[in-house]
């Protein structure tokens, strides 16, 4: 069901003076998140693998929100070198209030592929690269005090798989669905583990997860060519009654990024699980709304601290880092 605090999703809190960086900000839920944050007054940083597409997206936001402050930064979250270079650009900004870890492969390759650093490609793109990026910019985030947060964009798919702790790299058993679902589970578990570690360290940074429900590309305005209108496929027509547009899917992410009452360790999603207004749909033990069940919840493994420690340690050591912050 979710819990609701005072929140008008049609009119989010003002975010003037805040800087928010969004990976995968040039399309889909990431682009709609950037637009809504720009409308709320935030300085937005679109972190994109393709800078041409990123500039097109930035121009679309500027056209839709006159006076919007938007910039682009190149990043390929599957590459450690690319992530470190992008993090250096973020650390050079006057301030950084929020990092939205959104970029990812929605459709994994049919055959197992590896990143330039030797990790299964979907895992590297969706989870490992975001852990590295987060660790690289934590000092910059901490300078922003209580407004600082890391929002990890999760997925209901994380509930539909179990980790293979001795084969997260899927060297012994690969299929595209498992690769995607496991990458999202690793991401969510690492996000909640980061919350535990930040809390223990007394850091002001909040780490929380938001998922977009079942979101389809059904709208184009006001983003024009950056979110081009197209005819829905027959399969999508059958799914529309259960789904919402990517504009709606962005709302839980926006709420997690700017709601002053959003807390580390919480899980945000649509009230109905698949679609609906953004609410707290679960979270780790000890936070308001804690839980893992229901259609819209994060799943038992995501909030399990044993799983969290294992995923955080694996992701940290993938980059030669110790798990301790």
């Amino acid at each position: 069901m979710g819990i609701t605090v005072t929140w008008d999703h049609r009119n989010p809190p003002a975010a003037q003076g805040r800087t928010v960086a969004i990976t995968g900000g040039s399309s889909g839920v990431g682009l709609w998140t950037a637009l809504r944050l720009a409308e709320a007054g935030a300085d937005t940083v679109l972190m994109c693998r393709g800078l041409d597409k990123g500039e097109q997206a930035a121009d679309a936001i500027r056209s839709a929100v006159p006076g919007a402050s938007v910039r682009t930064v190149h990043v390929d979250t599957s590459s450690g070198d690319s992530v470190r270079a992008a993090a250096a650009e973020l650390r050079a900004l006057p301030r950084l209030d929020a990092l939205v870890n959104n970029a990812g492969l929605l459709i994994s390759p049919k055959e197992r592929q590896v990143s330039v650093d030797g990790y299964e490609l979907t895992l590297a793109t969706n989870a490992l690269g975001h852990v590295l990026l987060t660790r690289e910019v934590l000092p910059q985030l901490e300078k922003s005090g209580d407004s600082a947060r890391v929002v990890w964009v999760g997925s209901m798919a994380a509930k539909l798989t179990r980790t293979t702790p001795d084969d997260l790299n899927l060297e012994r058993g690969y299929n595209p669905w498992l690769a995607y679902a496991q990458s999202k589970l690793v991401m969510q578990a690492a996000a909640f583990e980061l919350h535990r570690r930040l809390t223990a360290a007394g850091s002001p940074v909040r780490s929380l997860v938001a998922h977009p429900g079942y979101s389809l590309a059904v709208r184009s305005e006001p983003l024009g060519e950056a979110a081009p209108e197209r005819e829905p496929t027959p399969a999508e027509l059958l799914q529309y009654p259960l789904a919402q547009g990517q504009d709606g899917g962005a709302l839980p992410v926006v709420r997690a990024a700017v709601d002053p009452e959003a807390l580390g360790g919480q899980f945000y999603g649509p009230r109905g699980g698949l679609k609906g207004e953004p609410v707290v749909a679960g979270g780790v033990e000890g936070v308001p709304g804690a839980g893992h069940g229901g259609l819209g919840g994060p799943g038992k493994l995501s909030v399990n601290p044993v799983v969290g420690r294992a995923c955080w340690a694996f992701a940290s050591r993938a980059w030669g880092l110790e798990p301790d912050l």
Side-chain angles (χ1 to χ4, degrees):
M1 294 278 299
I3 64 171
T4 305
V5 295
T6 303
W7 172 264
D8 180 358
H9 63 276
R10 296 159 299 183
N11 185 30
Q16 280 87 357
R18 294 189 182 186
T19 299
V20 183
I22 306 150
T23 67
S26 62
S27 63
V29 168
L31 176 54
W32 282 103
T33 298
L35 173 67
R36 297 308 180 209
L37 291 171
E39 289 175 337
D43 296 334
T44 55
V45 183
L46 307 183
M47 305 185 71
C48 318
R49 187 169 57 180
L51 279 182
D52 288 345
K53 189 175 181 181
E55 290 298 338
Q56 182 185 38
D59 287 342
I61 293 174
R62 295 185 191 106
S63 295
V65 186
S69 172
V70 192
R71 72 183 76 197
T72 58
V73 169
H74 174 263
V75 69
D76 177 351
T77 56
S78 74
S79 164
D81 286 346
S82 179
V83 168
R84 291 186 181 95
E89 291 193 52
L90 295 186
R91 291 196 301 269
L93 296 174
R95 64 181 296 149
L96 181 64
D97 297 271
L99 171 65
V100 178
N101 287 325
N102 164 77
L105 292 175
L106 294 177
I107 302 176
S108 299
K110 291 183 179 180
E111 303 294 332
R112 183 179 182 272
Q113 297 181 21
V114 297
S115 69
V116 294
D117 301 295
Y119 297 101
E120 189 277 312
L121 185 60
T122 306
L123 179 68
T125 304
N126 295 6
L128 302 185
H130 285 117
V131 170
L132 176 61
L133 179 62
T134 300
R135 295 199 63 167
E136 289 279 314
V137 301
L138 267 177
Q140 181 77 337
L141 284 166
E142 287 182 329
K143 295 177 184 178
S144 294
D146 291 340
S147 70
R149 60 193 71 186
V150 184
V151 179
W152 309 70
V153 180
S155 170
M156 293 185 294
K159 297 190 293 184
L160 304 179
T161 187
R162 300 183 65 85
T163 57
T164 307
D166 61 343
D167 190 28
L168 290 178
N169 219 19
L170 298 181
E171 295 176 284
R172 296 196 301 272
Y174 176 89
N175 71 64
W177 165 250
L178 174 62
Y180 175 74
Q182 182 169 269
S183 74
K184 285 299 187 178
L185 174 55
V186 171
M187 172 192 248
Q188 291 183 183
F192 289 133
E193 178 61 16
L194 176 59
H195 158 71
R196 298 183 188 98
R197 291 171 182 267
L198 291 170
T199 300
S203 172
V205 180
R206 312 174 201 185
S207 177
L208 57 166
V209 181
H211 82 97
Y214 192 15
S215 301
L216 298 174
V218 296
R219 292 194 50 188
S220 59
E221 296 296 335
L223 291 170
E225 290 302 313
E229 188 172 357
R230 61 173 175 80
E231 289 297 319
T233 66
E236 286 175 335
L237 286 173
L238 294 175
Q239 297 168 56
Y240 280 172
L242 301 174
Q244 62 186 355
Q246 290 175 333
D247 56 335
L251 295 179
V253 185
V254 174
R255 179 170 185 180
V258 299
D259 186 349
E261 297 187 54
L263 300 175
Q266 289 181 324
F267 184 80
Y268 281 82
R271 179 180 291 280
L274 300 178
K275 62 180 181 179
E277 64 178 306
V279 297
V280 181
V284 300
E285 183 177 355
V287 303
H292 58 78
L295 180 62
K300 186 176 182 179
L301 290 178
S302 289
V303 298
N304 185 315
V306 175
V307 175
R309 285 193 296 271
C311 291
W312 178 260
F314 179 89
S316 295
R317 288 175 178 150
W319 307 116
L321 302 172
E322 290 297 322
D324 293 341
L325 294 176

